[in-house]
Amino acid sequence: MSDQNQQPVFQIQRVYLKDLSLEQPNSPAIFLEQEAPSIEVAVDVGAEALAETIYESTVTITVTAKIKDRVAFLVEGKQAGIFEAANIPPEQLDPLLGIGCPNIIYPYLRANIADMITRAGFPPVHLAEINFEAFYQQRLQALAEQQQQQLPQGSGLVMPDGTAARQ
C-alpha cells in the first residue's frame, strides 16, 4: 500500500512544560512600589523533527514587568508538545507545526506563566490570545526579506534549502 492511499494522521503524544524560570532582582523593595508595572511580552515558536513522523513543537514566552526603570520580575516559560504527523503533504506540515501545534500548547503555557507570577507575589498577568497564523506569516515574510538581502552577495542561485549559493 503506498503513502498516497493512507489517511493523514495528526495526534498529540504529550504536552509538557520544558522550562520555566523566574527572576525578581529587586525584591523585596519592589513590593513597596505603588505604581503599576509596565509589561512586555516576547513570543517565539520552534519545531524540530524527533523521528520520521514525530515532531516537537515549542512556544516560548518571556514576560518582563518593570516599575519605572527597575525590573519587578522576569518570567520565561517554554511549553512543548510531541506530535505525530504522518502522511501530511509537505506544504501543509510546516504550517501545522508553526500554527496548529502552538495553538494547542499555548493555553498550557499561559496558565503556567500566570500561576508562576501569582506565586511570586505579584498580581496575575493574563496573557492575550495569540494569532499564531499571523505570527507564522510575519516570520515567513521576515525570512523572505532576509534571503532577498543575501542574494546580491552570492551568485544569484538559491539552494534547495532556501539559502543563497556561495561562489
Side-chain angles (χ1 to χ4, degrees), residues 35-104:
E35 191 176 319
S38 64
I39 306 289
E40 297 172 10
V41 178
V43 181
D44 193 25
V45 173
E48 140 180 28
L50 302 177
E52 189 176 338
T53 60
I54 306 296
Y55 300 88
E56 179 190 57
S57 177
T58 58
V59 177
T60 304
I61 300 280
T62 304
V63 179
T64 307
K66 291 182 180 179
I67 298 177
K68 299 175 185 151
D69 62 344
R70 294 175 24 194
V71 173
F73 65 83
L74 186 145
V75 172
E76 183 173 87
K78 182 185 268 190
Q79 192 80 34
I82 298 175
F83 300 89
E84 178 183 6
N87 304 315
I88 307 283
E91 68 276 4
Q92 294 176 10
L93 185 60
D94 197 49
L96 178 65
L97 296 173
I99 301 168
C101 295
N103 275 322
I104 292 168

Side-chain angles (χ1 to χ4, degrees), residues 96-163:
L96 178 65
L97 296 173
I99 301 168
C101 295
N103 275 322
I104 292 168
I105 59 181
Y106 176 66
Y108 294 94
L109 179 57
R110 195 165 74 172
N112 285 325
I113 287 178
D115 184 54
M116 174 69 89
I117 292 168
T118 303
R119 289 175 185 269
F122 294 96
V125 172
H126 300 289
L127 297 172
E129 290 291 325
I130 295 176
N131 181 339
F132 284 103
E133 185 171 358
F135 188 72
Y136 178 80
Q137 295 300 334
Q138 288 170 356
R139 289 177 59 210
L140 283 182
Q141 186 175 353
L143 184 62
E145 289 170 5
Q146 181 184 13
Q147 288 175 349
Q148 283 296 331
Q149 291 172 357
Q150 293 174 351
L151 284 179
Q153 299 162 358
S155 64
L157 298 174
V158 178
M159 301 303 290
D161 66 358
T163 61

